Amino acid sequence: MMKKNLSFILSAVICALGAMTLVSCNHDDPVTNELSAYEKAIKAAAEKYVPNVIYSTYGKLATAGEVLCNDIQAMNAKGIASVTQADIDKACTDFLAARAYWEASEAFLFGAATDFSIDPHIDSWPLDRKGLANNLSNSKVISALEEDGVDAISQLGETALGFHGIEFVLFRDGANRKVADLKGVETAEEFAGTGVSGREELIYASAVSEDLMTSLYQLNVSWNPNAPQAQKDAVEEAELNCTVNGLENTYGEDMLGAAAAGSTYASWQRVAKTVLSAGCAGITDEVASSKMGQAHNGEDESYIESPYSKNSFVDFKNNILSVQYSIYGSYEAASAAQDSFLAFLEKYHTAEASAVKSALADALAKLEICIKSGHFVDDYKAAYVGDAIDAIDSLTDALERAAAAID
């Protein structure tokens, strides 16, 4: 009788293990090479996402950075006396274009932007205006910047580089800088008595814009194996890292090679979780808790992005749009593609997909109210800012629940 019962128990255990194996094969089986329909849906979404979102956005961003650099270096080459309002206006327009592409890329800061510290290098704030005043009033620093350009910027410090240093030179009080003001003595409080003028500011901005351009090249080359050769040559000359873990693969090839030997992604599920959690939820949490929350909640009222152009709310909206593009399957997508991460969620995780769509629409609507109501640097305590923060927090929660469902 005991043998019969033991045989029955062993048979039951074997059957249960067999059933578990079948379930495992449907999702993330390390033994079989055959993908389940679930995994194939994620793979299809990644194959749309990598080229149509990441390659597309970073490609446009790198080109825009080059255009901006050319604008500023052309003004510097002309000399401050010959700069016109048209020159400044063009640089301002091109700055905002580059800025929009950058903010629309922040749902995929994982990878090169984080690994190579590109994000803090080109987008730290608040700008260290006191340090900048000291440097721009130092004749040795200006001579080094004038003679060596980008090779001399290390002495400026990271909080005086990137987008916001250039923004300070090109914009004031939410408007394009007036040519007469640029040609005069700098009037910002920290510069009182320094005698810094537009000449020094253009020398500085010229070097910083080249550094920004090269960093944007690095992002594009790090992800896209088919980035322009001129960009590859530039990052090689600058001796910048551009591959995953020092290997030969780009970040794009690494993601598209998920579940294969050599990829940092052990499974396609890991790809989906990275996109939804580390990428999309990562930026929505930063916008709500840090970019908007620190000033709104009184933690740090100086922690305001883009104060000179007063473009903060547009920056935040582009951050949330980067989530939309990521889950919809292409840059500037207004609806989800058939093979997209949202389509995958709608097929396999319906409730989570519905929550993400609803929260995304609400967050964008609340930010649109912010844009129409005022400027963050002036109204960071406003109730409508709090409403937007709450809506973005809800989007973060929805994205994290969707990512967790994949496990």
PDB file of all heavy atoms in Angstrom, residues 96 99 103 125 164 167 174 287 291-292 303-319 367 370-371 374-378 380:
ATOM      1  N   LEU A  96      16.349  75.440 -29.248  1.00  0.00           N
ATOM      2  CA  LEU A  96      15.080  74.851 -28.812  1.00  0.00           C
ATOM      3  C   LEU A  96      14.773  73.550 -29.561  1.00  0.00           C
ATOM      4  O   LEU A  96      14.187  72.625 -28.987  1.00  0.00           O
ATOM      5  CB  LEU A  96      13.945  75.858 -28.991  1.00  0.00           C
ATOM      6  CG  LEU A  96      14.014  77.089 -28.080  1.00  0.00           C
ATOM      7  CD1 LEU A  96      12.902  78.076 -28.422  1.00  0.00           C
ATOM      8  CD2 LEU A  96      13.943  76.696 -26.605  1.00  0.00           C
ATOM      9  N   ARG A  99      17.001  70.989 -27.994  1.00  0.00           N
ATOM     10  CA  ARG A  99      16.481  70.747 -26.650  1.00  0.00           C
ATOM     11  C   ARG A  99      15.264  69.816 -26.678  1.00  0.00           C
ATOM     12  O   ARG A  99      15.114  68.927 -25.841  1.00  0.00           O
ATOM     13  CB  ARG A  99      16.099  72.089 -26.026  1.00  0.00           C
ATOM     14  CG  ARG A  99      15.703  72.014 -24.573  1.00  0.00           C
ATOM     15  CD  ARG A  99      16.901  71.838 -23.682  1.00  0.00           C
ATOM     16  NE  ARG A  99      16.466  71.595 -22.310  1.00  0.00           N
ATOM     17  CZ  ARG A  99      17.172  70.940 -21.410  1.00  0.00           C
ATOM     18  NH1 ARG A  99      18.345  70.450 -21.742  1.00  0.00           N
ATOM     19  NH2 ARG A  99      16.717  70.755 -20.200  1.00  0.00           N
ATOM     20  N   GLU A 103      15.012  66.207 -24.734  1.00  0.00           N
ATOM     21  CA  GLU A 103      13.979  65.888 -23.750  1.00  0.00           C
ATOM     22  C   GLU A 103      13.117  64.714 -24.205  1.00  0.00           C
ATOM     23  O   GLU A 103      12.634  63.931 -23.377  1.00  0.00           O
ATOM     24  CB  GLU A 103      13.114  67.114 -23.467  1.00  0.00           C
ATOM     25  CG  GLU A 103      13.861  68.287 -22.838  1.00  0.00           C
ATOM     26  CD  GLU A 103      14.447  67.964 -21.472  1.00  0.00           C
ATOM     27  OE1 GLU A 103      13.928  67.079 -20.793  1.00  0.00           O
ATOM     28  OE2 GLU A 103      15.437  68.607 -21.095  1.00  0.00           O
ATOM     29  N   TRP A 125      21.820  71.134 -13.819  1.00  0.00           N
ATOM     30  CA  TRP A 125      21.346  72.448 -13.406  1.00  0.00           C
ATOM     31  C   TRP A 125      21.138  72.421 -11.889  1.00  0.00           C
ATOM     32  O   TRP A 125      21.123  71.330 -11.307  1.00  0.00           O
ATOM     33  CB  TRP A 125      20.039  72.808 -14.143  1.00  0.00           C
ATOM     34  CG  TRP A 125      18.830  72.063 -13.676  1.00  0.00           C
ATOM     35  CD1 TRP A 125      17.973  72.409 -12.674  1.00  0.00           C
ATOM     36  CD2 TRP A 125      18.352  70.810 -14.171  1.00  0.00           C
ATOM     37  NE1 TRP A 125      16.989  71.456 -12.510  1.00  0.00           N
ATOM     38  CE2 TRP A 125      17.206  70.463 -13.427  1.00  0.00           C
ATOM     39  CE3 TRP A 125      18.777  69.933 -15.160  1.00  0.00           C
ATOM     40  CZ2 TRP A 125      16.492  69.294 -13.641  1.00  0.00           C
ATOM     41  CZ3 TRP A 125      18.073  68.767 -15.380  1.00  0.00           C
ATOM     42  CH2 TRP A 125      16.942  68.462 -14.622  1.00  0.00           C
ATOM     43  N   HIS A 164      22.451  74.186 -20.494  1.00  0.00           N
ATOM     44  CA  HIS A 164      22.036  75.336 -19.693  1.00  0.00           C
ATOM     45  C   HIS A 164      23.065  76.459 -19.679  1.00  0.00           C
ATOM     46  O   HIS A 164      22.699  77.630 -19.482  1.00  0.00           O
ATOM     47  CB  HIS A 164      21.637  74.870 -18.300  1.00  0.00           C
ATOM     48  CG  HIS A 164      20.483  73.912 -18.345  1.00  0.00           C
ATOM     49  ND1 HIS A 164      19.239  74.297 -18.785  1.00  0.00           N
ATOM     50  CD2 HIS A 164      20.415  72.581 -18.081  1.00  0.00           C
ATOM     51  CE1 HIS A 164      18.430  73.244 -18.756  1.00  0.00           C
ATOM     52  NE2 HIS A 164      19.124  72.206 -18.345  1.00  0.00           N
ATOM     53  N   GLU A 167      22.124  78.060 -22.903  1.00  0.00           N
ATOM     54  CA  GLU A 167      20.838  78.738 -22.701  1.00  0.00           C
ATOM     55  C   GLU A 167      21.042  80.104 -22.043  1.00  0.00           C
ATOM     56  O   GLU A 167      20.394  81.096 -22.425  1.00  0.00           O
ATOM     57  CB  GLU A 167      19.932  77.863 -21.833  1.00  0.00           C
ATOM     58  CG  GLU A 167      18.558  78.461 -21.570  1.00  0.00           C
ATOM     59  CD  GLU A 167      17.841  77.819 -20.401  1.00  0.00           C
ATOM     60  OE1 GLU A 167      18.469  76.992 -19.689  1.00  0.00           O
ATOM     61  OE2 GLU A 167      16.676  78.165 -20.174  1.00  0.00           O
ATOM     62  N   GLY A 174      12.884  84.441 -20.641  1.00  0.00           N
ATOM     63  CA  GLY A 174      11.948  83.779 -21.541  1.00  0.00           C
ATOM     64  C   GLY A 174      11.959  84.279 -22.963  1.00  0.00           C
ATOM     65  O   GLY A 174      11.067  83.951 -23.743  1.00  0.00           O
ATOM     66  N   VAL A 287      10.536  63.484 -13.409  1.00  0.00           N
ATOM     67  CA  VAL A 287       9.797  64.718 -13.690  1.00  0.00           C
ATOM     68  C   VAL A 287       8.930  65.108 -12.494  1.00  0.00           C
ATOM     69  O   VAL A 287       8.935  66.266 -12.049  1.00  0.00           O
ATOM     70  CB  VAL A 287       8.928  64.562 -14.959  1.00  0.00           C
ATOM     71  CG1 VAL A 287       8.001  65.768 -15.111  1.00  0.00           C
ATOM     72  CG2 VAL A 287       9.804  64.429 -16.198  1.00  0.00           C
ATOM     73  N   LYS A 291      12.222  67.119 -11.044  1.00  0.00           N
ATOM     74  CA  LYS A 291      12.189  68.283 -11.932  1.00  0.00           C
ATOM     75  C   LYS A 291      11.093  69.272 -11.553  1.00  0.00           C
ATOM     76  O   LYS A 291      11.291  70.480 -11.590  1.00  0.00           O
ATOM     77  CB  LYS A 291      11.992  67.837 -13.383  1.00  0.00           C
ATOM     78  CG  LYS A 291      13.185  67.114 -13.991  1.00  0.00           C
ATOM     79  CD  LYS A 291      12.978  66.899 -15.483  1.00  0.00           C
ATOM     80  CE  LYS A 291      14.186  66.268 -16.129  1.00  0.00           C
ATOM     81  NZ  LYS A 291      14.097  66.252 -17.611  1.00  0.00           N
ATOM     82  N   MET A 292       9.929  68.766 -11.187  1.00  0.00           N
ATOM     83  CA  MET A 292       8.837  69.631 -10.757  1.00  0.00           C
ATOM     84  C   MET A 292       8.696  69.652  -9.234  1.00  0.00           C
ATOM     85  O   MET A 292       8.447  70.693  -8.631  1.00  0.00           O
ATOM     86  CB  MET A 292       7.518  69.168 -11.391  1.00  0.00           C
ATOM     87  CG  MET A 292       7.510  69.198 -12.906  1.00  0.00           C
ATOM     88  SD  MET A 292       5.931  68.664 -13.639  1.00  0.00           S
ATOM     89  CE  MET A 292       4.927  70.119 -13.385  1.00  0.00           C
ATOM     90  N   TYR A 303      15.972  74.702  -7.887  1.00  0.00           N
ATOM     91  CA  TYR A 303      16.140  73.543  -8.766  1.00  0.00           C
ATOM     92  C   TYR A 303      15.119  73.619  -9.907  1.00  0.00           C
ATOM     93  O   TYR A 303      14.128  72.898  -9.940  1.00  0.00           O
ATOM     94  CB  TYR A 303      15.961  72.250  -7.974  1.00  0.00           C
ATOM     95  CG  TYR A 303      16.459  71.008  -8.675  1.00  0.00           C
ATOM     96  CD1 TYR A 303      17.809  70.693  -8.708  1.00  0.00           C
ATOM     97  CD2 TYR A 303      15.569  70.140  -9.299  1.00  0.00           C
ATOM     98  CE1 TYR A 303      18.270  69.549  -9.339  1.00  0.00           C
ATOM     99  CE2 TYR A 303      16.018  68.987  -9.929  1.00  0.00           C
ATOM    100  CZ  TYR A 303      17.366  68.701  -9.946  1.00  0.00           C
ATOM    101  OH  TYR A 303      17.815  67.557 -10.576  1.00  0.00           O
ATOM    102  N   ILE A 304      15.378  74.552 -10.831  1.00  0.00           N
ATOM    103  CA  ILE A 304      14.441  74.798 -11.921  1.00  0.00           C
ATOM    104  C   ILE A 304      15.181  74.698 -13.253  1.00  0.00           C
ATOM    105  O   ILE A 304      16.129  75.436 -13.517  1.00  0.00           O
ATOM    106  CB  ILE A 304      13.771  76.171 -11.782  1.00  0.00           C
ATOM    107  CG1 ILE A 304      12.906  76.172 -10.522  1.00  0.00           C
ATOM    108  CG2 ILE A 304      12.943  76.507 -13.011  1.00  0.00           C
ATOM    109  CD1 ILE A 304      12.229  77.478 -10.224  1.00  0.00           C
ATOM    110  N   GLU A 305      14.720  73.772 -14.065  1.00  0.00           N
ATOM    111  CA  GLU A 305      15.338  73.534 -15.368  1.00  0.00           C
ATOM    112  C   GLU A 305      14.866  74.574 -16.387  1.00  0.00           C
ATOM    113  O   GLU A 305      13.716  74.999 -16.360  1.00  0.00           O
ATOM    114  CB  GLU A 305      14.959  72.116 -15.841  1.00  0.00           C
ATOM    115  CG  GLU A 305      15.714  71.635 -17.050  1.00  0.00           C
ATOM    116  CD  GLU A 305      15.405  70.187 -17.374  1.00  0.00           C
ATOM    117  OE1 GLU A 305      14.389  69.654 -16.873  1.00  0.00           O
ATOM    118  OE2 GLU A 305      16.182  69.583 -18.117  1.00  0.00           O
ATOM    119  N   SER A 306      15.788  74.979 -17.267  1.00  0.00           N
ATOM    120  CA  SER A 306      15.491  75.907 -18.360  1.00  0.00           C
ATOM    121  C   SER A 306      14.871  77.223 -17.888  1.00  0.00           C
ATOM    122  O   SER A 306      13.856  77.673 -18.430  1.00  0.00           O
ATOM    123  CB  SER A 306      14.567  75.240 -19.391  1.00  0.00           C
ATOM    124  OG  SER A 306      15.152  74.068 -19.905  1.00  0.00           O
ATOM    125  N   PRO A 307      15.463  77.911 -16.900  1.00  0.00           N
ATOM    126  CA  PRO A 307      14.859  79.146 -16.395  1.00  0.00           C
ATOM    127  C   PRO A 307      15.060  80.349 -17.300  1.00  0.00           C
ATOM    128  O   PRO A 307      14.277  81.298 -17.241  1.00  0.00           O
ATOM    129  CB  PRO A 307      15.591  79.363 -15.062  1.00  0.00           C
ATOM    130  CG  PRO A 307      16.939  78.741 -15.283  1.00  0.00           C
ATOM    131  CD  PRO A 307      16.679  77.543 -16.157  1.00  0.00           C
ATOM    132  N   TYR A 308      16.094  80.338 -18.142  1.00  0.00           N
ATOM    133  CA  TYR A 308      16.396  81.522 -18.962  1.00  0.00           C
ATOM    134  C   TYR A 308      15.504  81.581 -20.199  1.00  0.00           C
ATOM    135  O   TYR A 308      15.040  82.646 -20.589  1.00  0.00           O
ATOM    136  CB  TYR A 308      17.885  81.533 -19.348  1.00  0.00           C
ATOM    137  CG  TYR A 308      18.765  81.272 -18.158  1.00  0.00           C
ATOM    138  CD1 TYR A 308      19.526  80.107 -18.054  1.00  0.00           C
ATOM    139  CD2 TYR A 308      18.787  82.175 -17.095  1.00  0.00           C
ATOM    140  CE1 TYR A 308      20.291  79.852 -16.936  1.00  0.00           C
ATOM    141  CE2 TYR A 308      19.549  81.933 -15.967  1.00  0.00           C
ATOM    142  CZ  TYR A 308      20.305  80.760 -15.891  1.00  0.00           C
ATOM    143  OH  TYR A 308      21.050  80.516 -14.761  1.00  0.00           O
ATOM    144  N   SER A 309      15.222  80.429 -20.776  1.00  0.00           N
ATOM    145  CA  SER A 309      14.287  80.366 -21.906  1.00  0.00           C
ATOM    146  C   SER A 309      12.847  80.232 -21.427  1.00  0.00           C
ATOM    147  O   SER A 309      11.913  80.382 -22.210  1.00  0.00           O
ATOM    148  CB  SER A 309      14.624  79.173 -22.807  1.00  0.00           C
ATOM    149  OG  SER A 309      14.524  77.959 -22.083  1.00  0.00           O
ATOM    150  N   LYS A 310      12.681  79.935 -20.134  1.00  0.00           N
ATOM    151  CA  LYS A 310      11.354  79.643 -19.548  1.00  0.00           C
ATOM    152  C   LYS A 310      10.643  78.532 -20.328  1.00  0.00           C
ATOM    153  O   LYS A 310       9.438  78.583 -20.567  1.00  0.00           O
ATOM    154  CB  LYS A 310      10.486  80.906 -19.485  1.00  0.00           C
ATOM    155  CG  LYS A 310      11.022  81.953 -18.507  1.00  0.00           C
ATOM    156  CD  LYS A 310      10.014  83.073 -18.253  1.00  0.00           C
ATOM    157  CE  LYS A 310      10.518  84.034 -17.187  1.00  0.00           C
ATOM    158  NZ  LYS A 310       9.558  85.121 -16.901  1.00  0.00           N
ATOM    159  N   ASN A 311      11.420  77.526 -20.650  1.00  0.00           N
ATOM    160  CA  ASN A 311      10.920  76.423 -21.468  1.00  0.00           C
ATOM    161  C   ASN A 311      10.623  75.173 -20.638  1.00  0.00           C
ATOM    162  O   ASN A 311      10.398  74.101 -21.188  1.00  0.00           O
ATOM    163  CB  ASN A 311      11.976  76.087 -22.537  1.00  0.00           C
ATOM    164  CG  ASN A 311      11.399  75.412 -23.759  1.00  0.00           C
ATOM    165  OD1 ASN A 311      10.425  75.893 -24.332  1.00  0.00           O
ATOM    166  ND2 ASN A 311      11.986  74.304 -24.159  1.00  0.00           N
ATOM    167  N   SER A 312      10.590  75.319 -19.312  1.00  0.00           N
ATOM    168  CA  SER A 312      10.505  74.156 -18.431  1.00  0.00           C
ATOM    169  C   SER A 312       9.302  73.263 -18.716  1.00  0.00           C
ATOM    170  O   SER A 312       9.440  72.040 -18.835  1.00  0.00           O
ATOM    171  CB  SER A 312      10.454  74.613 -16.972  1.00  0.00           C
ATOM    172  OG  SER A 312      11.506  75.482 -16.673  1.00  0.00           O
ATOM    173  N   PHE A 313       8.107  73.849 -18.809  1.00  0.00           N
ATOM    174  CA  PHE A 313       6.913  73.031 -19.014  1.00  0.00           C
ATOM    175  C   PHE A 313       6.967  72.287 -20.351  1.00  0.00           C
ATOM    176  O   PHE A 313       6.499  71.148 -20.453  1.00  0.00           O
ATOM    177  CB  PHE A 313       5.653  73.893 -18.955  1.00  0.00           C
ATOM    178  CG  PHE A 313       5.263  74.324 -17.569  1.00  0.00           C
ATOM    179  CD1 PHE A 313       4.792  75.612 -17.333  1.00  0.00           C
ATOM    180  CD2 PHE A 313       5.332  73.454 -16.489  1.00  0.00           C
ATOM    181  CE1 PHE A 313       4.415  76.023 -16.059  1.00  0.00           C
ATOM    182  CE2 PHE A 313       4.964  73.852 -15.200  1.00  0.00           C
ATOM    183  CZ  PHE A 313       4.507  75.143 -14.993  1.00  0.00           C
ATOM    184  N   VAL A 314       7.547  72.918 -21.357  1.00  0.00           N
ATOM    185  CA  VAL A 314       7.707  72.246 -22.652  1.00  0.00           C
ATOM    186  C   VAL A 314       8.698  71.092 -22.516  1.00  0.00           C
ATOM    187  O   VAL A 314       8.491  70.008 -23.065  1.00  0.00           O
ATOM    188  CB  VAL A 314       8.170  73.240 -23.733  1.00  0.00           C
ATOM    189  CG1 VAL A 314       8.452  72.518 -25.052  1.00  0.00           C
ATOM    190  CG2 VAL A 314       7.117  74.326 -23.945  1.00  0.00           C
ATOM    191  N   ASP A 315       9.774  71.316 -21.761  1.00  0.00           N
ATOM    192  CA  ASP A 315      10.720  70.234 -21.480  1.00  0.00           C
ATOM    193  C   ASP A 315       9.997  69.049 -20.847  1.00  0.00           C
ATOM    194  O   ASP A 315      10.177  67.889 -21.252  1.00  0.00           O
ATOM    195  CB  ASP A 315      11.807  70.709 -20.510  1.00  0.00           C
ATOM    196  CG  ASP A 315      12.844  71.612 -21.145  1.00  0.00           C
ATOM    197  OD1 ASP A 315      12.847  71.755 -22.376  1.00  0.00           O
ATOM    198  OD2 ASP A 315      13.657  72.183 -20.390  1.00  0.00           O
ATOM    199  N   PHE A 316       9.187  69.331 -19.829  1.00  0.00           N
ATOM    200  CA  PHE A 316       8.504  68.253 -19.108  1.00  0.00           C
ATOM    201  C   PHE A 316       7.533  67.508 -20.036  1.00  0.00           C
ATOM    202  O   PHE A 316       7.419  66.279 -19.984  1.00  0.00           O
ATOM    203  CB  PHE A 316       7.743  68.807 -17.905  1.00  0.00           C
ATOM    204  CG  PHE A 316       8.580  69.623 -16.952  1.00  0.00           C
ATOM    205  CD1 PHE A 316       8.003  70.630 -16.190  1.00  0.00           C
ATOM    206  CD2 PHE A 316       9.944  69.402 -16.827  1.00  0.00           C
ATOM    207  CE1 PHE A 316       8.760  71.385 -15.307  1.00  0.00           C
ATOM    208  CE2 PHE A 316      10.719  70.164 -15.950  1.00  0.00           C
ATOM    209  CZ  PHE A 316      10.121  71.163 -15.193  1.00  0.00           C
ATOM    210  N   LYS A 317       6.825  68.260 -20.861  1.00  0.00           N
ATOM    211  CA  LYS A 317       5.902  67.608 -21.792  1.00  0.00           C
ATOM    212  C   LYS A 317       6.658  66.708 -22.762  1.00  0.00           C
ATOM    213  O   LYS A 317       6.209  65.589 -23.067  1.00  0.00           O
ATOM    214  CB  LYS A 317       5.087  68.652 -22.561  1.00  0.00           C
ATOM    215  CG  LYS A 317       4.059  68.011 -23.502  1.00  0.00           C
ATOM    216  CD  LYS A 317       3.250  69.042 -24.272  1.00  0.00           C
ATOM    217  CE  LYS A 317       2.281  68.337 -25.227  1.00  0.00           C
ATOM    218  NZ  LYS A 317       1.509  69.318 -26.036  1.00  0.00           N
ATOM    219  N   ASN A 318       7.802  67.181 -23.245  1.00  0.00           N
ATOM    220  CA  ASN A 318       8.597  66.343 -24.152  1.00  0.00           C
ATOM    221  C   ASN A 318       9.115  65.094 -23.451  1.00  0.00           C
ATOM    222  O   ASN A 318       9.249  64.028 -24.071  1.00  0.00           O
ATOM    223  CB  ASN A 318       9.744  67.153 -24.751  1.00  0.00           C
ATOM    224  CG  ASN A 318       9.283  68.060 -25.876  1.00  0.00           C
ATOM    225  OD1 ASN A 318       8.382  67.721 -26.638  1.00  0.00           O
ATOM    226  ND2 ASN A 318       9.888  69.233 -25.987  1.00  0.00           N
ATOM    227  N   ASN A 319       9.414  65.204 -22.154  1.00  0.00           N
ATOM    228  CA  ASN A 319       9.777  64.015 -21.384  1.00  0.00           C
ATOM    229  C   ASN A 319       8.655  62.982 -21.399  1.00  0.00           C
ATOM    230  O   ASN A 319       8.896  61.783 -21.574  1.00  0.00           O
ATOM    231  CB  ASN A 319      10.088  64.390 -19.937  1.00  0.00           C
ATOM    232  CG  ASN A 319      11.396  65.108 -19.744  1.00  0.00           C
ATOM    233  OD1 ASN A 319      11.588  65.780 -18.739  1.00  0.00           O
ATOM    234  ND2 ASN A 319      12.325  64.983 -20.674  1.00  0.00           N
ATOM    235  N   LEU A 367      -0.120  68.751 -18.316  1.00  0.00           N
ATOM    236  CA  LEU A 367       1.049  69.547 -18.701  1.00  0.00           C
ATOM    237  C   LEU A 367       0.679  70.598 -19.741  1.00  0.00           C
ATOM    238  O   LEU A 367       1.250  71.695 -19.756  1.00  0.00           O
ATOM    239  CB  LEU A 367       2.155  68.638 -19.234  1.00  0.00           C
ATOM    240  CG  LEU A 367       2.946  67.910 -18.152  1.00  0.00           C
ATOM    241  CD1 LEU A 367       3.859  66.852 -18.755  1.00  0.00           C
ATOM    242  CD2 LEU A 367       3.766  68.892 -17.312  1.00  0.00           C
ATOM    243  N   CYS A 370      -0.501  73.462 -17.882  1.00  0.00           N
ATOM    244  CA  CYS A 370       0.654  74.197 -17.343  1.00  0.00           C
ATOM    245  C   CYS A 370       1.244  75.138 -18.391  1.00  0.00           C
ATOM    246  O   CYS A 370       1.532  76.308 -18.106  1.00  0.00           O
ATOM    247  CB  CYS A 370       1.732  73.218 -16.881  1.00  0.00           C
ATOM    248  SG  CYS A 370       1.325  72.256 -15.413  1.00  0.00           S
ATOM    249  N   ILE A 371       1.442  74.625 -19.597  1.00  0.00           N
ATOM    250  CA  ILE A 371       2.046  75.416 -20.675  1.00  0.00           C
ATOM    251  C   ILE A 371       1.203  76.654 -20.980  1.00  0.00           C
ATOM    252  O   ILE A 371       1.721  77.752 -21.199  1.00  0.00           O
ATOM    253  CB  ILE A 371       2.233  74.546 -21.928  1.00  0.00           C
ATOM    254  CG1 ILE A 371       3.319  73.493 -21.687  1.00  0.00           C
ATOM    255  CG2 ILE A 371       2.591  75.404 -23.151  1.00  0.00           C
ATOM    256  CD1 ILE A 371       3.428  72.444 -22.776  1.00  0.00           C
ATOM    257  N   GLY A 374       1.226  79.502 -17.620  1.00  0.00           N
ATOM    258  CA  GLY A 374       2.336  80.343 -17.173  1.00  0.00           C
ATOM    259  C   GLY A 374       3.672  79.679 -17.393  1.00  0.00           C
ATOM    260  O   GLY A 374       3.827  78.832 -18.269  1.00  0.00           O
ATOM    261  N   HIS A 375       4.652  80.060 -16.572  1.00  0.00           N
ATOM    262  CA  HIS A 375       6.001  79.512 -16.669  1.00  0.00           C
ATOM    263  C   HIS A 375       6.384  78.917 -15.319  1.00  0.00           C
ATOM    264  O   HIS A 375       6.119  79.516 -14.270  1.00  0.00           O
ATOM    265  CB  HIS A 375       7.007  80.599 -17.059  1.00  0.00           C
ATOM    266  CG  HIS A 375       6.744  81.195 -18.406  1.00  0.00           C
ATOM    267  ND1 HIS A 375       6.906  80.491 -19.577  1.00  0.00           N
ATOM    268  CD2 HIS A 375       6.324  82.439 -18.768  1.00  0.00           C
ATOM    269  CE1 HIS A 375       6.611  81.266 -20.606  1.00  0.00           C
ATOM    270  NE2 HIS A 375       6.241  82.446 -20.145  1.00  0.00           N
ATOM    271  N   PHE A 376       7.021  77.776 -15.356  1.00  0.00           N
ATOM    272  CA  PHE A 376       7.372  77.078 -14.124  1.00  0.00           C
ATOM    273  C   PHE A 376       8.258  77.930 -13.223  1.00  0.00           C
ATOM    274  O   PHE A 376       8.068  77.964 -12.008  1.00  0.00           O
ATOM    275  CB  PHE A 376       8.072  75.759 -14.472  1.00  0.00           C
ATOM    276  CG  PHE A 376       8.370  74.904 -13.281  1.00  0.00           C
ATOM    277  CD1 PHE A 376       7.357  74.449 -12.457  1.00  0.00           C
ATOM    278  CD2 PHE A 376       9.679  74.527 -12.975  1.00  0.00           C
ATOM    279  CE1 PHE A 376       7.621  73.648 -11.360  1.00  0.00           C
ATOM    280  CE2 PHE A 376       9.957  73.733 -11.883  1.00  0.00           C
ATOM    281  CZ  PHE A 376       8.929  73.289 -11.063  1.00  0.00           C
ATOM    282  N   VAL A 377       9.219  78.643 -13.799  1.00  0.00           N
ATOM    283  CA  VAL A 377      10.134  79.446 -12.996  1.00  0.00           C
ATOM    284  C   VAL A 377       9.398  80.554 -12.240  1.00  0.00           C
ATOM    285  O   VAL A 377       9.835  80.991 -11.168  1.00  0.00           O
ATOM    286  CB  VAL A 377      11.259  80.046 -13.880  1.00  0.00           C
ATOM    287  CG1 VAL A 377      10.726  81.085 -14.846  1.00  0.00           C
ATOM    288  CG2 VAL A 377      12.374  80.629 -13.023  1.00  0.00           C
ATOM    289  N   ASP A 378       8.251  80.977 -12.754  1.00  0.00           N
ATOM    290  CA  ASP A 378       7.444  82.016 -12.104  1.00  0.00           C
ATOM    291  C   ASP A 378       6.350  81.436 -11.214  1.00  0.00           C
ATOM    292  O   ASP A 378       5.958  82.053 -10.217  1.00  0.00           O
ATOM    293  CB  ASP A 378       6.788  82.913 -13.154  1.00  0.00           C
ATOM    294  CG  ASP A 378       7.798  83.590 -14.072  1.00  0.00           C
ATOM    295  OD1 ASP A 378       8.867  83.985 -13.572  1.00  0.00           O
ATOM    296  OD2 ASP A 378       7.522  83.704 -15.285  1.00  0.00           O
ATOM    297  N   TYR A 380       5.987  77.978  -9.929  1.00  0.00           N
ATOM    298  CA  TYR A 380       6.231  76.593  -9.523  1.00  0.00           C
ATOM    299  C   TYR A 380       5.397  76.154  -8.325  1.00  0.00           C
ATOM    300  O   TYR A 380       5.245  74.971  -8.066  1.00  0.00           O
ATOM    301  CB  TYR A 380       7.713  76.345  -9.268  1.00  0.00           C
ATOM    302  CG  TYR A 380       8.371  77.273  -8.282  1.00  0.00           C
ATOM    303  CD1 TYR A 380       8.301  77.026  -6.913  1.00  0.00           C
ATOM    304  CD2 TYR A 380       9.086  78.378  -8.720  1.00  0.00           C
ATOM    305  CE1 TYR A 380       8.915  77.872  -6.004  1.00  0.00           C
ATOM    306  CE2 TYR A 380       9.711  79.230  -7.825  1.00  0.00           C
ATOM    307  CZ  TYR A 380       9.628  78.977  -6.463  1.00  0.00           C
ATOM    308  OH  TYR A 380      10.234  79.823  -5.570  1.00  0.00           O
TER     309      TYR A 380
END
